[in-house]
Amino acid sequence: QVQLVESGGGLVQAGGSLRLSCAASGNIVRINDMGWYRQVPGKQRELVAVITTGGNTNYGDSVEGRFTISRDNAKNTVYLQMNSLKPEDTAVYYCTTDAVRRGFLGSYAYWGQGTQVTVSS
């Protein structure tokens, strides 16, 4: 099994910053892309940012220029630095990875349990 454990969520005022972390563990052979999505009640889960093994990044339009994704391949950990937070950034943030599990041929998507980010106005 592959586990993703997120941390760093919480309550912050508009204009503030938070840093999310997500560590992957388990019977992992290789981790490919890592990323963050977010979801608010009644809406579809949306892309926040993804990062490849080589460090290439892609961001959702609403966070471009404010959020920065990074990863530590040695620690199987992905980070999301969120600056200039807005009330509309309030959501549950989910970590995801595409990983190859020991004993399996292909890669699969795994998801964390989610961490709440609340931005007050």
Side-chain angles (χ1 to χ4, degrees):
Q1 187 61 287
V2 174
Q3 296 86 32
L4 297 175
V5 178
E6 299 127 331
S7 61
L11 173 65
V12 64
Q13 288 188 332
S17 299
L18 281 176
R19 189 188 193 216
L20 304 183
S21 300
C22 173
S25 63
N27 294 323
I28 299 169
V29 174
R30 183 178 71 251
I31 290 182
N32 299 320
D33 294 355
M34 302 186 82
W36 294 91
Y37 283 71
R38 66 187 184 187
Q39 189 170 24
V40 297
K43 292 188 176 181
Q44 286 189 331
R45 195 170 291 187
E46 67 168 353
L47 169 71
V48 177
V50 293
I51 184 168
T52 67
T53 304
N56 293 319
T57 58
N58 185 38
Y59 294 92
D61 291 341
S62 61
V63 306
E64 183 86 51
R66 299 187 296 121
F67 291 9
T68 301
I69 189 171
S70 61
R71 65 189 286 173
D72 185 333
N73 291 331
K75 296 181 179 179
N76 289 341
T77 299
V78 62
Y79 306 96
L80 184 68
Q81 177 67 43
M82 304 185 293
N83 298 329
S84 302
L85 282 160
K86 305 174 182 180
E88 50 265 43
D89 293 318
T90 296
V92 177
Y93 284 70
Y94 295 92
C95 171
T96 184
T97 184
D98 180 73
V100 178
R101 184 179 159 190
R102 198 177 310 279
F104 288 73
L105 288 179
S107 63
Y108 296 89
Y110 297 91
W111 293 85
Q113 79 286 355
T115 184
Q116 177 70 46
V117 171
T118 303
V119 184
S120 63
S121 57

